[in-house]
């Protein structure tokens, strides 16, 4: 609930800051929803690989990170199309992580044991699994 409240507050603030019309607001919401769906799919792809017995190698981690960041870049591109030109500089300041639904990580719950059992030197990298340093 707290996360949803945080997202709701950020949404209202950004819609006002970007001076979005009701039509652009609907497209904004659709872009954020699509981003979360793509992030969920990326996490599911990673979880499926790990569940099938793949080790979380630097390559697999980097490819998963690429899928996730590609979803964010696509969202920035979508927002640039719907945000009025005068506010595009403001849109570039938007922190899309404020809009990530924590449920996108749910697929990783099924493989949490594989993530917990990584040797310490493998917990770093693009996915940031390092717990202690």
């Amino acid at each position: 609930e707290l996360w949803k409240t945080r997202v709701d507050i950020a949404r209202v603030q950004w819609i006002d800051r970007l001076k979005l019309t009701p039509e652009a607001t609907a497209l904004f919401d659709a872009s954020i929803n699509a981003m979360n769906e793509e992030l969920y799919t990326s996490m599911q792809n990673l979880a499926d690989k790990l569940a099938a017995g793949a080790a979380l190698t630097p390559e697999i981690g980097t490819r998963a990170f690429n899928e996730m960041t590609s979803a964010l870049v696509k969202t920035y591109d979508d927002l640039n199309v719907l945000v009025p030109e005068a506010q595009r500089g403001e849109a570039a300041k938007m922190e899309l992580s404020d809009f990530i639904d924590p449920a996108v990580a749910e697929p990783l719950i099924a493989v949490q044991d594989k993530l917990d059992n990584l040797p310490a030197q493998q917990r770093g990298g693009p996915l940031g699994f390092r717990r202690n340093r």
Side-chain angles (χ1 to χ4, degrees), residues 28-62:
F28 176 92
D29 290 338
S31 295
I32 296 300
N33 290 337
M35 175 189 76
N36 279 303
E37 289 173 18
E38 289 182 44
L39 290 171
Y40 182 91
T41 299
S42 296
M43 294 291 189
Q44 186 64 61
N45 290 341
L46 176 59
D48 290 347
K49 287 176 185 163
L50 296 176
L56 183 57
T57 62
E59 178 185 3
I60 288 175
T62 300

Side-chain angles (χ1 to χ4, degrees), residues 31-107:
S31 295
I32 296 300
N33 290 337
M35 175 189 76
N36 279 303
E37 289 173 18
E38 289 182 44
L39 290 171
Y40 182 91
T41 299
S42 296
M43 294 291 189
Q44 186 64 61
N45 290 341
L46 176 59
D48 290 347
K49 287 176 185 163
L50 296 176
L56 183 57
T57 62
E59 178 185 3
I60 288 175
T62 300
R63 290 182 186 281
F65 188 68
N66 183 56
E67 283 183 31
M68 289 179 260
T69 57
S70 292
L72 298 175
V73 169
K74 183 181 180 306
T75 304
Y76 279 121
D77 290 344
D78 290 347
L79 294 175
N80 273 332
V81 172
L82 64 98
V83 170
E85 191 171 334
Q87 274 69 43
R88 287 192 184 147
E90 286 299 305
K93 297 174 188 174
M94 186 182 310
E95 188 65 56
L96 289 178
S97 62
D98 290 343
F99 298 95
I100 295 175
D101 182 342
V104 302
E106 284 179 3

Side-chain angles (χ1 to χ4, degrees), residues 42-61 64 107-118 122 127 129:
S42 296
M43 294 291 189
Q44 186 64 61
N45 290 341
L46 176 59
D48 290 347
K49 287 176 185 163
L50 296 176
L56 183 57
T57 62
E59 178 185 3
I60 288 175
L108 297 179
I109 293 170
V111 294
Q112 185 63 44
D113 60 321
K114 294 177 186 268
L115 300 173
D116 286 341
N117 295 324
L118 288 175
Q122 288 184 333
L127 294 179
F129 290 117

